[in-house]
Amino acid sequence: MGMIWQLLAAGTAGMAAYLHIGGRRAVALPGRPSCGTVPPVPLLLELVAVAVRQGSSIPRALAVIGETLLDDGVTVEPDDDALGIRLVAVANALNRGADWDNAWGVVPPDSRHRRSLDAIRETLAPSWKHGVSPLMRIETAIEQIDRDERRSIEEDAARLSVRVLVPMGLCFLPAFVLIGVIPSIVSFAGA
């Protein structure tokens, strides 16, 4: 009789594990690139801040960062959607005298780096349009991005704890009932 309960508990645990593994899927983290070595937006903004602190203009800072991203020894075609190419194109447009919004228009709407570039554009826009230092705005944007990522990580951790709890409940509760409760009831009933 005890062997049947053990087999039933093992089968229940196996079914719970199968259901849990079958429902698993790959999840991409928001705001993070899925492949390649593209630096995160806070790092790009910090690089702009360092360049500005050293006396560079915004277009020069964008151009240097873009060239640095491209300087990896790989030949890049001009129509490639590399972040460095996009930053250099924006810097060149600004240096040619394009206004802020038109300069950022060189970035196609379907660019895979659109979110990163939009964050940089929105952070630096007041500085370009009104002539104020971008440093405070950059620090604020970096703090906001970090807060958003931290909140996203905490929400993902909360969802993960719920997802882990269900298979554990499907494994341990039936096993406890089948191995601990039912045999106890049977032994008390038989006495």
Side-chain angles (χ1 to χ4, degrees):
M1 181 86 173
M3 183 65 144
I4 294 173
W5 294 116
Q6 290 174 351
L7 289 174
L8 191 56
T12 305
M15 181 58 82
Y18 172 76
L19 290 174
H20 177 66
I21 291 171
R24 202 175 356 171
R25 63 174 193 252
V27 176
L29 294 175
R32 297 226 168 97
S34 59
C35 62
T37 56
V38 177
V41 175
L43 179 59
L44 292 171
L45 289 172
E46 196 64 49
L47 290 172
V48 171
V50 168
V52 169
R53 280 188 197 107
Q54 297 302 316
S56 294
S57 65
I58 290 175
R60 179 69 183 143
L62 294 176
V64 168
I65 294 168
E67 290 166 2
T68 303
L69 290 173
L70 290 174
D71 190 28
D72 59 1
V74 177
T75 304
V76 179
E77 297 297 321
D79 62 347
D80 192 15
D81 189 29
L83 181 60
I85 288 175
R86 300 298 176 207
L87 289 174
V88 170
V90 168
N92 289 339
L94 289 171
N95 285 329
R96 284 192 310 267
D99 81 337
W100 185 256
D101 294 325
N102 289 336
W104 287 91
V106 300
V107 178
D110 61 341
S111 172
R112 63 185 166 156
H113 305 294
R114 187 69 186 187
R115 290 179 61 192
S116 299
L117 293 168
D118 283 347
I120 295 169
R121 178 179 51 83
E122 291 169 9
T123 301
L124 299 176
S127 301
W128 183 262
K129 292 178 179 178
H130 304 294
V132 296
S133 173
L135 297 177
M136 183 63 94
R137 180 109 169 139
I138 289 173
E139 290 173 11
T140 304
I142 290 171
E143 290 173 5
Q144 180 64 41
I145 291 169
D146 287 343
R147 261 192 312 263
D148 291 345
E149 286 183 4
R150 191 174 306 116
R151 186 187 74 241
S152 174
I153 290 170
E154 289 171 357
E155 288 172 358
D156 289 345
R159 277 193 293 273
L160 179 64
S161 67
V162 171
R163 288 182 182 166
V164 168
L165 182 63
V166 171
M168 283 180 49
L170 290 174
C171 291
F172 289 120
L173 186 59
F176 172 73
V177 169
L178 293 174
I179 294 174
V181 175
I182 293 178
S184 297
I185 292 173
V186 169
S187 69
F188 283 127

